[in-house]
Amino acid sequence: MAHKNFLFTSESVSEGHPDKVSDQISDAILDAFLERDVKLGIADDSQINTRLGCETLCTTNKIVIAGEGRGQLFRDINGISVVDRELITQIARDVVKDIGYDQNGFSYHGADVEVLLHGQSPDIAMGVNAKKKKSGEEEGAGDQGMMFGYACNESEVYEKNSFMPAPIYFAHKILKVLSDKRRSKQLFDLQPDAKSQVTVKYVDGKAVGCTKVVVSTQHNEKSRNGKKYTPGLIKDMIADAVESALPKGWMPKSSDFLVNPTGNFVVGGPDGDCGLTGRKIIVDTYGGYAPHGGGAFSGKDPTKVDRSAAYATRYLAKNIVAAGVADKCTIQVAYAIGVADPMSVLVDTHGTGKVDEKKLEKLIPELFRLTPTNIRRTLKLNRPIYKRTAAYGHFGRAPDKDGGFSWEKTDLAAAIKSALK
């Protein structure tokens, strides 16, 4: 029997966290490939020109970009696929500049950038390339693996259309508010690196408030008037901003609001800790509240089901909850490399479903085929929409007018309701 009264904790990290710097560089490079396809008119629904698996490492004044791919930023030289290293280098520097790093240990202009991207393996390409089928051309899955999507309605009373667990949603929101205030110079002595952790109290299965909030945020050593910062001064500086990110009455008492608990946080970002693409997958998804298949998202083009199928299962789970069919929903799919259709589909409504889960498992493929090609076409994933996903979560975000976060739409809810009547 599930707990009704419990505490649950999730964490988030800011766009200046070393791992998130790496994620954003990888996704900005992916966007550059896809943007070139759009401009050339080759990012159509029948095929996807770009293939990319891009990994980034960031450390003290060093950025290393590696991986494999194909697309318009590669050119053939004597039979060898060579990437445009100057452009990739500039993309990395622009990302670091936008985040706000211009420090002695990590700077957008001072960091050495090494580009080691190479052409995609023909063996991998062969498995993914579209094959003729009776239903049309279908791409095979880019790898084997299982992916999960999740949605719940517990945060709807506080944040409409988020359909996310409260702990991760508000952990993200705290850092986003602090980032916005840093960028607008309202909190000009903060620096880009930050982490948050939110512990939510549940009563009768409902999120009712925070018992603990932890924020660690990088800051200048001294204020503009020369006063040396202490954790207490930083706490006073950010308290109102943190409280504004939470529902009314959720801010814990002062002794349960911890800020920079180990002391001052002056040295941070990649100068303080090495960053790697794909190392914050729980922050990217549901904060540990729901399962994760293990595959990272950033730097991967939409033929890679680690990313696209995780988006698709979130889309389906969210629409099931939005349709009122369940209060919670987890969907798992699994794939084999080179095979278009999933090996399995599982729906779990955690005892909150109003219809049999087997009906939902039968209905899902009828409403939305979970092949890489159909996922990519239906959610329109061929566009340069990925850098924005690489900080503050891939889920629980509002859909953008240009098609970003298309998997957060609830436009399938009416069809689900109708089909289950």
Side-chain angles (χ1 to χ4, degrees):
M1 184 175 180
H3 291 297
K4 289 188 175 181
N5 302 320
F6 59 95
L7 303 176
F8 195 90
T9 302
S10 293
E11 72 160 352
S12 180
V13 297
S14 72
E15 78 261 33
H17 185 280
D19 295 330
K20 284 286 133 198
V21 175
S22 297
D23 284 344
Q24 288 167 94
I25 291 172
S26 292
D27 271 340
I29 292 168
L30 172 61
D31 280 351
F33 273 86
L34 294 170
E35 185 175 13
R36 189 70 62 89
D37 288 352
V38 170
K39 286 181 178 178
L40 293 174
I42 55 176
D44 59 29
D45 286 340
S46 62
Q47 285 282 355
I48 178 167
N49 180 63
T50 289
R51 301 278 171 76
L52 194 67
C54 180
E55 316 290 344
T56 303
L57 176 149
C58 296
T59 187
T60 302
N61 273 330
K62 181 76 173 180
I63 299 170
V64 180
I65 300 164
E68 51 80 29
R70 78 176 195 196
Q72 294 301 308
L73 299 188
F74 282 95
R75 62 184 184 275
D76 188 274
I77 298 179
N78 297 326
I80 299 174
S81 189
V82 178
V83 76
D84 186 338
R85 287 182 170 82
E86 289 186 5
L87 178 57
I88 299 297
T89 297
Q90 190 58 51
I91 290 168
R93 294 195 189 282
D94 289 345
V95 169
V96 175
K97 183 178 181 179
D98 178 65
I99 292 169
Y101 277 117
D102 189 10
Q103 302 168 1
N104 289 334
F106 194 71
S107 166
Y108 70 93
H109 56 82
D112 176 53
V113 182
E114 189 171 0
V115 180
L116 303 174
L117 284 171
H118 60 80
Q120 185 181 45
S121 159
D123 294 337
I124 294 174
M126 180 175 61
V128 179
N129 289 341
K131 302 172 180 64
K132 294 280 187 180
K133 292 194 172 186
K134 289 181 180 178
S135 57
E137 290 193 346
E138 290 283 357
E139 296 151 4
D143 201 353
Q144 70 176 46
M146 66 283 191
M147 298 84 208
F148 290 90
Y150 178 79
C152 62
N153 60 13
E154 69 178 45
S155 61
E156 287 306 285
V157 66
Y158 306 110
E159 300 286 338
K160 284 290 183 186
N161 299 314
S162 67
F163 291 96
M164 288 289 284
I168 187 65
Y169 186 85
F170 291 111
H172 286 321
K173 192 173 180 183
I174 286 170
L175 292 184
K176 189 65 172 66
V177 169
L178 290 177
S179 174
D180 291 344
K181 290 184 179 296
R182 171 180 66 85
R183 288 173 175 273
S184 69
K185 309 300 182 184
Q186 291 175 268
L187 295 174
F188 50 79
D189 279 339
L190 296 186
Q191 290 294 318
D193 195 359
K195 299 178 79 171
S196 68
Q197 185 171 283
V198 173
T199 300
V200 172
K201 181 179 181 180
Y202 288 80
V203 176
D204 290 330
K206 297 185 184 300
V208 298
C210 292
T211 62
K212 303 276 186 183
V213 171
V214 183
V215 177
S216 295
T217 181
Q218 187 186 14
H219 57 84
N220 293 337
E221 186 175 9
K222 295 179 181 179
S223 67
R224 293 189 179 184
N225 62 14
K227 188 173 183 179
K228 191 169 184 177
Y229 277 116
T230 65
L233 289 173
I234 298 297
K235 180 176 181 177
D236 291 341
M237 180 195 299
I238 69 172
D240 288 346
V242 171
E243 185 170 6
S244 74
L246 298 171
K248 188 176 181 180
W250 275 42
M251 186 71 175
K253 60 185 180 182
S254 181
S255 61
D256 292 325
F257 173 41
L258 309 179
V259 176
N260 292 356
T262 62
N264 284 349
F265 186 2
V266 176
V267 178
D271 187 31
D273 193 11
C274 181
L276 291 169
T277 298
R279 212 162 49 172
K280 286 291 177 285
I281 58 176
I282 300 304
V283 171
D284 285 342
T285 54
Y286 308 103
Y289 202 90
H292 190 290
F297 300 157
S298 289
K300 295 179 179 177
D301 74 80
T303 68
K304 294 173 174 57
V305 285
D306 279 343
R307 181 170 221 160
S308 58
Y311 290 171
T313 51
R314 160 64 178 176
Y315 172 69
L316 292 167
K318 184 173 183 178
N319 276 272
I320 285 170
V321 176
V325 175
D327 296 330
K328 300 178 181 180
C329 182
T330 299
I331 297 176
Q332 188 213 44
V333 293
Y335 292 88
I337 188 168
V339 180
D341 289 301
M343 302 291 100
S344 64
V345 178
L346 171 72
V347 177
D348 183 358
T349 55
H350 307 278
T352 69
K354 298 172 178 62
V355 299
D356 188 276
E357 290 154 339
K358 294 297 181 185
K359 286 186 178 180
L360 292 173
E361 290 173 2
K362 182 180 179 182
L363 176 63
I364 282 173
E366 295 173 0
L367 294 180
F368 188 104
R369 287 192 68 215
L370 283 160
T371 63
T373 302
N374 187 63
I375 292 170
R376 178 173 58 77
R377 290 176 179 173
T378 304
L379 297 180
K380 300 186 183 303
L381 300 180
N382 283 11
R383 292 164 295 181
I385 56 173
Y386 295 103
K387 178 180 175 289
R388 70 192 76 172
T389 69
Y392 309 112
H394 293 245
F395 308 126
R397 312 276 289 271
D400 293 326
K401 290 182 179 179
D402 67 351
F405 299 103
S406 59
W407 50 92
E408 291 296 306
K409 292 181 179 180
T410 54
D411 53 352
L412 199 62
I416 291 171
K417 279 184 183 179
S418 177
L420 291 171
K421 280 183 180 179

